[in-house]
């Protein structure tokens, strides 16, 4: 990876981030839709379950790891100490994630990224080969974690009994249907510890970190993208074959999800990156880049919008929207987000939450930029 690449935004990654943002919206909304009644509803459910669930989180994890490498170049170009600067960014991101998880949506992924992001510091100076081997090892462990725990007769870590966990889930759903905002928050706070301990035993943590490392490897070896399209094309072909084979085995009852979904993620990512290399599609998909540049803002906004639509303190549509209608709602809202992101970035350099994240991470830099902007406005007014 050249220094020039490290110091500028990579359009392919922004487009890919915007694409993943849409997939995550569809998956998250699926938790709150009602049962399928028509053939179209059943088709929508099948598509989300088999072609979207978890695949887009893996892409987001991949992009987080790639961003880690790019940030090293950007921070180094400003003569800042990388470890302390990066650690501040993670602390602020953790606070944002915890706020999101507590007050908007229990399925937040940002706080987990922030926590695992500290482990990436251990791989800062590793070679691309070491990153790839470590990624493969983490992924293999994510596949073997649950069978290994069962073989060792180690049960899932629990902070409450199974009966209590079921009651907490029931309380949370009841709060969504007929509860005030305060009731929902309290029910969510009781459920979160149970959910978080479950995450530790389901292979998600090593899987997320594996894709962090895959992303860091790709940023080191596959940027700029235009110089490595043959490698990306081979990755697309291989991941398609693996995903198709794993999907066929799932169809006959074998549990191949931990192979199928990562392969599907690679397939999606490689396909998007290759399509973007064509000038026509690069222009057509350019709007995704605006959403991708404001991914944190758009991710939190999705939660705010749809919890207001679904829960009783808003419009009370929880479990009333059918699967097909849910996808239609997601598409409509995401198109609005694309337009809003384009409008915002035509006027400002960053999304609102991205600015907050940066300002809290680098308060002196933010103050200098704000003072400079004010001086420029005064000068423009005087002239």
């Amino acid at each position: 990876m050249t220094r020039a690449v490290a110091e500028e935004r990579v359009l392919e990654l922004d487009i890919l981030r915007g694409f993943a943002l849409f997939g995550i919206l569809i998956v998250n909304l699926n938790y709150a839709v009602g049962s399928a009644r028509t053939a179209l509803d059943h088709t929508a459910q099948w598509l989300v379950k088999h072609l979207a669930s978890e695949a887009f989180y893996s892409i987001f994890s991949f992009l987080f790891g790639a961003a880690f490498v790019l940030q090293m170049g950007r921070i180094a170009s400003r003569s800042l100490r990388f470890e302390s600067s990066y650690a501040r960014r993670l602390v602020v991101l953790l606070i944002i994630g915890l706020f999101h998880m507590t007050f908007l949506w229990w399925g937040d992924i940002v706080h987990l990224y922030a926590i695992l992001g500290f482990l990436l510091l251990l791989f800062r100076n590793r070679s691309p080969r070491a990153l790839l081997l470590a990624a493969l090892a983490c992924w293999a462990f994510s596949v073997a974690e649950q069978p290994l725990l069962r073989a060792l007769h180690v049960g899932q870590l629990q902070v409450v009994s199974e009966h209590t966990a079921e009651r907490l889930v029931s309380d949370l759903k009841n709060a969504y249907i007929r509860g005030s905002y305060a009731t929902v928050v309290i029910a969510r706070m009781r459920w979160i510890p149970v959910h978080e301990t479950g995450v530790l035993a389901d292979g998600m943590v090593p899987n997320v970190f594996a894709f962090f490392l895959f992303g860091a490897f790709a940023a080191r070896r596959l940027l700029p993208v235009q110089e490595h399209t043959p490698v990306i094309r081979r990755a697309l072909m291989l991941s398609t074959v693996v995903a198709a084979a794993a999907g066929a085995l799932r169809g006959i009852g074998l549990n191949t999800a931990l192979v199928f979904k990562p392969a599907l993620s690679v397939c999606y990512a490689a396909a998007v990156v290759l399509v973007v290399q064509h000038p026509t599609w690069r222009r057509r998909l350019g709007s995704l880049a605006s959403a991708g540049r404001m991914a944190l803002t758009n991710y939190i906004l999705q939660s705010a919008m749809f919890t207001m639509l679904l829960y009783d303190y808003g419009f009370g549509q929880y479990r009333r929207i059918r699967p097909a209608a849910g996808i239609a709602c997601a598409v409509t809202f995401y198109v609005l987000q694309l337009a809003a992101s384009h409008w915002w970035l035509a006027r400002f350099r960053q999304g609102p939450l991205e600015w907050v994240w940066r300002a809290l991470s680098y308060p002196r830099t933010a103050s200098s930029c704000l003072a400079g902007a004010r001086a420029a406005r005064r000068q423009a007014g005087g002239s």
Side-chain angles (χ1 to χ4, degrees):
M1 181 184 64
T2 64
R3 182 172 178 175
V5 170
E7 293 179 4
E8 64 183 22
R9 297 201 69 93
V10 179
L11 181 64
E12 289 85 355
L13 298 185
D14 283 335
I15 290 175
L16 187 57
R17 191 175 290 109
F19 172 70
L21 188 68
F22 172 63
I24 287 174
L25 172 58
I26 289 178
V27 172
N28 286 346
L29 186 56
N30 191 58
Y31 286 106
V33 298
S35 58
R37 290 183 178 177
T38 66
L40 187 59
D41 286 334
H42 285 289
T43 300
Q45 267 190 341
W46 187 92
L47 289 172
V48 173
K49 179 180 179 180
H50 296 285
L51 299 183
S53 182
E54 298 181 24
F56 291 101
Y57 279 112
S58 295
I59 296 175
F60 242 60
S61 303
F62 173 91
L63 291 168
F64 191 93
F68 169 78
V69 173
L70 296 174
Q71 286 164 12
M72 281 196 292
R74 291 167 186 156
I75 291 174
S77 70
R78 301 187 189 107
S79 301
L80 299 173
R81 181 176 172 82
F82 175 74
E83 291 87 349
S84 57
S85 298
Y86 180 68
R88 285 197 300 272
R89 285 179 61 84
L90 291 179
V91 169
V92 174
L93 187 64
L94 176 60
I95 293 171
I96 293 173
L98 292 175
F99 182 92
H100 177 226
M101 180 171 61
T102 303
F103 297 104
L104 286 176
W105 165 239
W106 62 263
D108 173 79
I109 195 69
V110 168
H111 73 287
L112 179 60
Y113 283 6
I115 294 169
L116 294 180
F118 284 99
L119 294 180
L120 276 176
L121 289 170
L122 301 176
F123 295 86
R124 178 189 174 189
N125 297 315
R126 301 298 181 184
S127 67
R129 175 184 170 83
L131 290 173
L132 181 59
L133 291 176
L136 291 171
C138 286
W139 175 78
F141 181 74
S142 73
V143 174
E145 182 179 1
Q146 287 186 352
L148 180 62
L149 291 176
R150 285 195 297 267
L152 296 174
H153 303 289
V154 177
Q156 180 175 320
L157 177 64
Q158 294 182 324
V159 294
V160 295
S161 67
E162 185 175 343
H163 173 74
T164 302
E166 291 176 354
R167 180 176 56 78
L168 291 174
V169 172
S170 178
D171 289 345
L172 187 59
K173 291 180 178 179
N174 288 334
Y176 293 160
I177 297 170
R178 48 180 179 274
S180 65
Y181 176 74
T183 302
V184 171
V185 171
I186 292 170
R188 188 185 293 124
M189 292 177 69
R190 290 172 177 168
W191 161 245
I192 284 173
V194 181
H195 172 262
E196 292 297 292
T197 54
V199 167
L200 297 176
D202 66 358
M204 184 176 182
V205 171
N207 184 268
V208 166
F209 195 69
F211 273 87
F212 278 10
L213 295 173
F214 281 130
F217 166 79
R220 290 270 182 85
R221 293 296 299 270
L222 301 179
L223 293 179
V225 171
Q226 294 80 2
E227 298 178 6
H228 299 90
T229 52
V231 176
I232 299 172
R233 193 174 291 113
R234 287 196 293 271
L236 173 60
M237 291 187 290
L238 178 60
S239 61
T240 301
V241 170
V242 172
L249 292 174
R250 290 182 76 187
I252 62 174
L254 296 179
N255 184 10
T256 59
L258 288 174
V259 176
F260 172 74
K261 290 177 179 177
L264 193 63
S265 301
V266 174
C267 181
Y268 287 161
V272 170
V273 169
L274 289 174
V275 165
V276 171
Q277 301 315 303
H278 297 274
T280 301
W281 282 103
R282 198 176 185 88
R283 289 193 301 272
R284 289 176 178 174
L285 298 178
S287 59
L288 290 175
S290 296
R293 287 177 59 188
M294 293 175 51
L296 182 61
T297 295
N298 283 319
Y299 176 62
I300 303 297
L301 186 59
Q302 287 172 359
S303 296
M305 171 63 188
F306 282 97
T307 52
M308 182 61 66
L309 171 67
L310 296 167
Y311 299 165
D312 187 58
Y313 60 77
F315 293 94
Q317 296 301 304
Y318 183 75
R319 297 295 188 186
R320 295 181 180 179
I321 299 175
R322 301 301 167 190
I327 291 181
C329 288
V331 171
T332 301
F333 184 70
Y334 189 67
V335 169
L336 293 175
Q337 283 195 302
L338 292 178
S341 298
H342 179 76
W343 181 89
W344 182 274
L345 291 177
R347 292 160 177 78
F348 305 96
R349 292 183 59 187
Q350 295 175 300
L353 275 182
E354 284 74 14
W355 184 87
V356 170
W357 186 11
R358 181 182 178 85
L360 294 177
S361 301
Y362 314 111
R364 292 183 181 178
T365 303
S367 298
S368 299
C369 291
L370 188 59
R374 288 172 177 170
R377 284 198 296 270
R378 286 196 298 269
Q379 184 177 1
S383 60

